[in-house]
PDB file of all heavy atoms in Angstrom:
ATOM      1  N   THR A 754     105.501  72.632 117.860  1.00 92.00           N
ATOM      2  CA  THR A 754     106.559  71.791 118.422  1.00 92.00           C
ATOM      3  C   THR A 754     106.590  70.489 117.642  1.00 92.00           C
ATOM      4  O   THR A 754     105.569  70.071 117.055  1.00 92.00           O
ATOM      5  CB  THR A 754     106.317  71.471 119.904  1.00 92.00           C
ATOM      6  OG1 THR A 754     105.134  70.653 120.025  1.00 92.00           O
ATOM      7  CG2 THR A 754     106.135  72.749 120.726  1.00 92.00           C
ATOM      8  N   LYS A 755     107.727  69.823 117.631  1.00 93.00           N
ATOM      9  CA  LYS A 755     107.815  68.539 116.946  1.00 93.00           C
ATOM     10  C   LYS A 755     106.831  67.530 117.541  1.00 93.00           C
ATOM     11  O   LYS A 755     106.228  66.732 116.822  1.00 93.00           O
ATOM     12  CB  LYS A 755     109.239  67.978 117.032  1.00 93.00           C
ATOM     13  CG  LYS A 755     110.222  68.626 116.071  1.00 93.00           C
ATOM     14  CD  LYS A 755     111.556  67.888 116.084  1.00 93.00           C
ATOM     15  CE  LYS A 755     112.517  68.474 115.055  1.00 93.00           C
ATOM     16  NZ  LYS A 755     113.820  67.756 115.043  1.00 93.00           N
ATOM     17  N   ASP A 756     106.657  67.595 118.854  1.00 93.00           N
ATOM     18  CA  ASP A 756     105.736  66.663 119.519  1.00 93.00           C
ATOM     19  C   ASP A 756     104.315  66.859 119.001  1.00 93.00           C
ATOM     20  O   ASP A 756     103.620  65.908 118.656  1.00 93.00           O
ATOM     21  CB  ASP A 756     105.768  66.884 121.034  1.00 93.00           C
ATOM     22  CG  ASP A 756     107.173  66.836 121.590  1.00 93.00           C
ATOM     23  OD1 ASP A 756     107.859  67.880 121.542  1.00 93.00           O
ATOM     24  OD2 ASP A 756     107.591  65.776 122.051  1.00 93.00           O
ATOM     25  N   GLY A 757     103.878  68.130 118.955  1.00 92.00           N
ATOM     26  CA  GLY A 757     102.526  68.419 118.484  1.00 92.00           C
ATOM     27  C   GLY A 757     102.333  68.101 117.017  1.00 92.00           C
ATOM     28  O   GLY A 757     101.313  67.532 116.611  1.00 92.00           O
ATOM     29  N   LEU A 758     103.323  68.458 116.194  1.00 94.00           N
ATOM     30  CA  LEU A 758     103.216  68.197 114.756  1.00 94.00           C
ATOM     31  C   LEU A 758     103.200  66.692 114.476  1.00 94.00           C
ATOM     32  O   LEU A 758     102.533  66.232 113.548  1.00 94.00           O
ATOM     33  CB  LEU A 758     104.367  68.874 114.017  1.00 94.00           C
ATOM     34  CG  LEU A 758     104.339  70.405 114.046  1.00 94.00           C
ATOM     35  CD1 LEU A 758     105.631  70.968 113.473  1.00 94.00           C
ATOM     36  CD2 LEU A 758     103.142  70.951 113.286  1.00 94.00           C
ATOM     37  N   ARG A 759     103.919  65.929 115.284  1.00 95.00           N
ATOM     38  CA  ARG A 759     103.908  64.470 115.124  1.00 95.00           C
ATOM     39  C   ARG A 759     102.491  63.925 115.324  1.00 95.00           C
ATOM     40  O   ARG A 759     102.038  63.043 114.577  1.00 95.00           O
ATOM     41  CB  ARG A 759     104.877  63.844 116.127  1.00 95.00           C
ATOM     42  CG  ARG A 759     105.051  62.344 115.959  1.00 95.00           C
ATOM     43  CD  ARG A 759     106.145  61.802 116.872  1.00 95.00           C
ATOM     44  NE  ARG A 759     107.468  62.249 116.435  1.00 95.00           N
ATOM     45  CZ  ARG A 759     108.228  63.132 117.086  1.00 95.00           C
ATOM     46  NH1 ARG A 759     107.772  63.668 118.226  1.00 95.00           N
ATOM     47  NH2 ARG A 759     109.408  63.468 116.633  1.00 95.00           N
ATOM     48  N   ILE A 760     101.800  64.465 116.305  1.00 95.00           N
ATOM     49  CA  ILE A 760     100.418  64.034 116.557  1.00 95.00           C
ATOM     50  C   ILE A 760      99.507  64.481 115.419  1.00 95.00           C
ATOM     51  O   ILE A 760      98.706  63.697 114.890  1.00 95.00           O
ATOM     52  CB  ILE A 760      99.924  64.594 117.905  1.00 95.00           C
ATOM     53  CG1 ILE A 760     100.680  63.938 119.054  1.00 95.00           C
ATOM     54  CG2 ILE A 760      98.423  64.377 118.061  1.00 95.00           C
ATOM     55  CD1 ILE A 760     100.445  64.588 120.392  1.00 95.00           C
ATOM     56  N   HIS A 761      99.614  65.756 115.016  1.00 95.00           N
ATOM     57  CA  HIS A 761      98.740  66.277 113.967  1.00 95.00           C
ATOM     58  C   HIS A 761      98.890  65.491 112.669  1.00 95.00           C
ATOM     59  O   HIS A 761      97.908  64.995 112.107  1.00 95.00           O
ATOM     60  CB  HIS A 761      99.057  67.755 113.706  1.00 95.00           C
ATOM     61  CG  HIS A 761      98.655  68.667 114.811  1.00 95.00           C
ATOM     62  ND1 HIS A 761      97.458  68.557 115.486  1.00 95.00           N
ATOM     63  CD2 HIS A 761      99.278  69.754 115.353  1.00 95.00           C
ATOM     64  CE1 HIS A 761      97.378  69.495 116.392  1.00 95.00           C
ATOM     65  NE2 HIS A 761      98.468  70.235 116.337  1.00 95.00           N
ATOM     66  N   TYR A 762     100.118  65.362 112.193  1.00 97.00           N
ATOM     67  CA  TYR A 762     100.321  64.691 110.906  1.00 97.00           C
ATOM     68  C   TYR A 762     100.029  63.199 111.009  1.00 97.00           C
ATOM     69  O   TYR A 762      99.508  62.585 110.070  1.00 97.00           O
ATOM     70  CB  TYR A 762     101.737  64.943 110.393  1.00 97.00           C
ATOM     71  CG  TYR A 762     101.953  66.360 109.914  1.00 97.00           C
ATOM     72  CD1 TYR A 762     102.969  67.154 110.447  1.00 97.00           C
ATOM     73  CD2 TYR A 762     101.136  66.915 108.928  1.00 97.00           C
ATOM     74  CE1 TYR A 762     103.167  68.461 110.001  1.00 97.00           C
ATOM     75  CE2 TYR A 762     101.327  68.218 108.486  1.00 97.00           C
ATOM     76  CZ  TYR A 762     102.353  68.988 109.021  1.00 97.00           C
ATOM     77  OH  TYR A 762     102.536  70.268 108.582  1.00 97.00           O
ATOM     78  N   GLY A 763     100.353  62.596 112.159  1.00 96.00           N
ATOM     79  CA  GLY A 763     100.041  61.186 112.345  1.00 96.00           C
ATOM     80  C   GLY A 763      98.551  60.919 112.270  1.00 96.00           C
ATOM     81  O   GLY A 763      98.104  59.942 111.643  1.00 96.00           O
ATOM     82  N   GLN A 764      97.750  61.787 112.880  1.00 96.00           N
ATOM     83  CA  GLN A 764      96.302  61.607 112.851  1.00 96.00           C
ATOM     84  C   GLN A 764      95.723  61.946 111.479  1.00 96.00           C
ATOM     85  O   GLN A 764      94.688  61.400 111.086  1.00 96.00           O
ATOM     86  CB  GLN A 764      95.652  62.442 113.954  1.00 96.00           C
ATOM     87  CG  GLN A 764      95.975  61.911 115.344  1.00 96.00           C
ATOM     88  CD  GLN A 764      95.223  62.629 116.451  1.00 96.00           C
ATOM     89  OE1 GLN A 764      94.472  63.575 116.220  1.00 96.00           O
ATOM     90  NE2 GLN A 764      95.431  62.178 117.677  1.00 96.00           N
ATOM     91  N   MET A 765      96.398  62.829 110.734  1.00 97.00           N
ATOM     92  CA  MET A 765      95.963  63.087 109.361  1.00 97.00           C
ATOM     93  C   MET A 765      96.143  61.840 108.503  1.00 97.00           C
ATOM     94  O   MET A 765      95.278  61.498 107.689  1.00 97.00           O
ATOM     95  CB  MET A 765      96.747  64.266 108.774  1.00 97.00           C
ATOM     96  CG  MET A 765      96.329  65.620 109.318  1.00 97.00           C
ATOM     97  SD  MET A 765      97.317  66.972 108.625  1.00 97.00           S
ATOM     98  CE  MET A 765      96.606  68.384 109.485  1.00 97.00           C
ATOM     99  N   VAL A 766      97.264  61.151 108.680  1.00 97.00           N
ATOM    100  CA  VAL A 766      97.488  59.895 107.955  1.00 97.00           C
ATOM    101  C   VAL A 766      96.393  58.890 108.292  1.00 97.00           C
ATOM    102  O   VAL A 766      95.828  58.230 107.406  1.00 97.00           O
ATOM    103  CB  VAL A 766      98.880  59.322 108.277  1.00 97.00           C
ATOM    104  CG1 VAL A 766      99.020  57.905 107.730  1.00 97.00           C
ATOM    105  CG2 VAL A 766      99.981  60.214 107.704  1.00 97.00           C
ATOM    106  N   GLU A 767      96.058  58.785 109.577  1.00 96.00           N
ATOM    107  CA  GLU A 767      94.993  57.867 110.004  1.00 96.00           C
ATOM    108  C   GLU A 767      93.669  58.224 109.335  1.00 96.00           C
ATOM    109  O   GLU A 767      92.921  57.339 108.885  1.00 96.00           O
ATOM    110  CB  GLU A 767      94.825  57.934 111.517  1.00 96.00           C
ATOM    111  CG  GLU A 767      95.985  57.372 112.316  1.00 96.00           C
ATOM    112  CD  GLU A 767      95.788  57.611 113.807  1.00 96.00           C
ATOM    113  OE1 GLU A 767      94.690  58.076 114.191  1.00 96.00           O
ATOM    114  OE2 GLU A 767      96.719  57.337 114.577  1.00 96.00           O
ATOM    115  N   ALA A 768      93.370  59.524 109.276  1.00 97.00           N
ATOM    116  CA  ALA A 768      92.101  59.964 108.690  1.00 97.00           C
ATOM    117  C   ALA A 768      92.044  59.670 107.195  1.00 97.00           C
ATOM    118  O   ALA A 768      91.005  59.233 106.669  1.00 97.00           O
ATOM    119  CB  ALA A 768      91.907  61.454 108.945  1.00 97.00           C
ATOM    120  N   ILE A 769      93.151  59.902 106.501  1.00 97.00           N
ATOM    121  CA  ILE A 769      93.185  59.625 105.058  1.00 97.00           C
ATOM    122  C   ILE A 769      93.018  58.126 104.807  1.00 97.00           C
ATOM    123  O   ILE A 769      92.298  57.702 103.895  1.00 97.00           O
ATOM    124  CB  ILE A 769      94.496  60.151 104.441  1.00 97.00           C
ATOM    125  CG1 ILE A 769      94.540  61.677 104.521  1.00 97.00           C
ATOM    126  CG2 ILE A 769      94.619  59.695 102.986  1.00 97.00           C
ATOM    127  CD1 ILE A 769      95.886  62.272 104.158  1.00 97.00           C
ATOM    128  N   GLU A 770      93.668  57.321 105.636  1.00 95.00           N
ATOM    129  CA  GLU A 770      93.544  55.870 105.495  1.00 95.00           C
ATOM    130  C   GLU A 770      92.097  55.427 105.687  1.00 95.00           C
ATOM    131  O   GLU A 770      91.562  54.628 104.917  1.00 95.00           O
ATOM    132  CB  GLU A 770      94.460  55.177 106.497  1.00 95.00           C
ATOM    133  CG  GLU A 770      94.586  53.683 106.260  1.00 95.00           C
ATOM    134  CD  GLU A 770      95.748  53.079 107.027  1.00 95.00           C
ATOM    135  OE1 GLU A 770      96.111  53.609 108.097  1.00 95.00           O
ATOM    136  OE2 GLU A 770      96.291  52.067 106.549  1.00 95.00           O
ATOM    137  N   ALA A 771      91.435  55.973 106.691  1.00 95.00           N
ATOM    138  CA  ALA A 771      90.032  55.638 106.932  1.00 95.00           C
ATOM    139  C   ALA A 771      89.156  56.108 105.773  1.00 95.00           C
ATOM    140  O   ALA A 771      88.244  55.398 105.335  1.00 95.00           O
ATOM    141  CB  ALA A 771      89.568  56.272 108.241  1.00 95.00           C
ATOM    142  N   PHE A 772      89.443  57.288 105.267  1.00 95.00           N
ATOM    143  CA  PHE A 772      88.656  57.860 104.159  1.00 95.00           C
ATOM    144  C   PHE A 772      88.767  56.991 102.916  1.00 95.00           C
ATOM    145  O   PHE A 772      87.768  56.698 102.249  1.00 95.00           O
ATOM    146  CB  PHE A 772      89.150  59.274 103.870  1.00 95.00           C
ATOM    147  CG  PHE A 772      88.396  59.980 102.772  1.00 95.00           C
ATOM    148  CD1 PHE A 772      87.153  60.533 103.007  1.00 95.00           C
ATOM    149  CD2 PHE A 772      88.944  60.083 101.498  1.00 95.00           C
ATOM    150  CE1 PHE A 772      86.459  61.174 101.988  1.00 95.00           C
ATOM    151  CE2 PHE A 772      88.269  60.725 100.477  1.00 95.00           C
ATOM    152  CZ  PHE A 772      87.023  61.279 100.722  1.00 95.00           C
ATOM    153  N   THR A 773      89.966  56.552 102.589  1.00 93.00           N
ATOM    154  CA  THR A 773      90.160  55.746 101.377  1.00 93.00           C
ATOM    155  C   THR A 773      89.597  54.340 101.526  1.00 93.00           C
ATOM    156  O   THR A 773      89.255  53.703 100.529  1.00 93.00           O
ATOM    157  CB  THR A 773      91.651  55.665 101.002  1.00 93.00           C
ATOM    158  OG1 THR A 773      92.392  55.102 102.095  1.00 93.00           O
ATOM    159  CG2 THR A 773      92.210  57.041 100.667  1.00 93.00           C
ATOM    160  N   LYS A 774      89.475  53.876 102.762  1.00 91.00           N
ATOM    161  CA  LYS A 774      88.892  52.554 103.005  1.00 91.00           C
ATOM    162  C   LYS A 774      87.386  52.627 103.261  1.00 91.00           C
ATOM    163  O   LYS A 774      86.748  51.613 103.534  1.00 91.00           O
ATOM    164  CB  LYS A 774      89.581  51.899 104.209  1.00 91.00           C
ATOM    165  CG  LYS A 774      91.026  51.511 103.959  1.00 91.00           C
ATOM    166  CD  LYS A 774      91.632  50.853 105.198  1.00 91.00           C
ATOM    167  CE  LYS A 774      93.058  50.387 104.933  1.00 91.00           C
ATOM    168  NZ  LYS A 774      93.662  49.764 106.127  1.00 91.00           N
ATOM    169  N   ARG A 775      86.863  53.867 103.204  1.00 90.00           N
ATOM    170  CA  ARG A 775      85.434  54.113 103.458  1.00 90.00           C
ATOM    171  C   ARG A 775      85.022  53.710 104.869  1.00 90.00           C
ATOM    172  O   ARG A 775      83.876  53.323 105.118  1.00 90.00           O
ATOM    173  CB  ARG A 775      84.559  53.407 102.420  1.00 90.00           C
ATOM    174  CG  ARG A 775      84.864  53.840 100.983  1.00 90.00           C
ATOM    175  CD  ARG A 775      83.909  53.192  99.993  1.00 90.00           C
ATOM    176  NE  ARG A 775      84.244  53.539  98.631  1.00 90.00           N
ATOM    177  CZ  ARG A 775      83.883  54.661  98.006  1.00 90.00           C
ATOM    178  NH1 ARG A 775      83.158  55.543  98.664  1.00 90.00           N
ATOM    179  NH2 ARG A 775      84.217  54.877  96.748  1.00 90.00           N
ATOM    180  N   ASP A 776      85.981  53.783 105.794  1.00 86.00           N
ATOM    181  CA  ASP A 776      85.666  53.545 107.206  1.00 86.00           C
ATOM    182  C   ASP A 776      85.122  54.821 107.829  1.00 86.00           C
ATOM    183  O   ASP A 776      85.196  55.907 107.242  1.00 86.00           O
ATOM    184  CB  ASP A 776      86.931  53.115 107.964  1.00 86.00           C
ATOM    185  CG  ASP A 776      87.438  51.755 107.529  1.00 86.00           C
ATOM    186  OD1 ASP A 776      86.638  50.985 106.955  1.00 86.00           O
ATOM    187  OD2 ASP A 776      88.625  51.465 107.761  1.00 86.00           O
ATOM    188  N   ASP A 777      84.580  54.685 109.044  1.00 86.00           N
ATOM    189  CA  ASP A 777      84.137  55.878 109.771  1.00 86.00           C
ATOM    190  C   ASP A 777      85.329  56.781 110.017  1.00 86.00           C
ATOM    191  O   ASP A 777      86.390  56.316 110.471  1.00 86.00           O
ATOM    192  CB  ASP A 777      83.500  55.488 111.110  1.00 86.00           C
ATOM    193  CG  ASP A 777      82.156  54.795 110.919  1.00 86.00           C
ATOM    194  OD1 ASP A 777      81.535  55.002 109.859  1.00 86.00           O
ATOM    195  OD2 ASP A 777      81.748  54.053 111.824  1.00 86.00           O
ATOM    196  N   LEU A 778      85.164  58.043 109.736  1.00 85.00           N
ATOM    197  CA  LEU A 778      86.274  58.986 109.844  1.00 85.00           C
ATOM    198  C   LEU A 778      86.424  59.457 111.294  1.00 85.00           C
ATOM    199  O   LEU A 778      85.449  59.944 111.895  1.00 85.00           O
ATOM    200  CB  LEU A 778      86.023  60.191 108.943  1.00 85.00           C
ATOM    201  CG  LEU A 778      87.247  60.939 108.439  1.00 85.00           C
ATOM    202  CD1 LEU A 778      88.075  60.026 107.540  1.00 85.00           C
ATOM    203  CD2 LEU A 778      86.843  62.175 107.660  1.00 85.00           C
ATOM    204  N   PRO A 779      87.602  59.307 111.893  1.00 88.00           N
ATOM    205  CA  PRO A 779      87.781  59.791 113.250  1.00 88.00           C
ATOM    206  C   PRO A 779      87.798  61.319 113.288  1.00 88.00           C
ATOM    207  O   PRO A 779      88.224  61.969 112.341  1.00 88.00           O
ATOM    208  CB  PRO A 779      89.144  59.218 113.648  1.00 88.00           C
ATOM    209  CG  PRO A 779      89.879  59.050 112.345  1.00 88.00           C
ATOM    210  CD  PRO A 779      88.830  58.692 111.331  1.00 88.00           C
TER     211      PRO A 779
END
Side-chain angles (χ1 to χ4, degrees):
T754 66
K755 282 188 176 181
D756 307 84
L758 293 171
R759 186 173 290 110
I760 292 170
H761 290 318
Y762 288 124
Q764 291 186 358
M765 286 178 181
V766 170
E767 292 174 8
I769 294 170
E770 190 166 29
F772 181 78
T773 58
K774 291 181 177 179
R775 302 184 183 277
D776 293 339
D777 290 337
L778 206 64

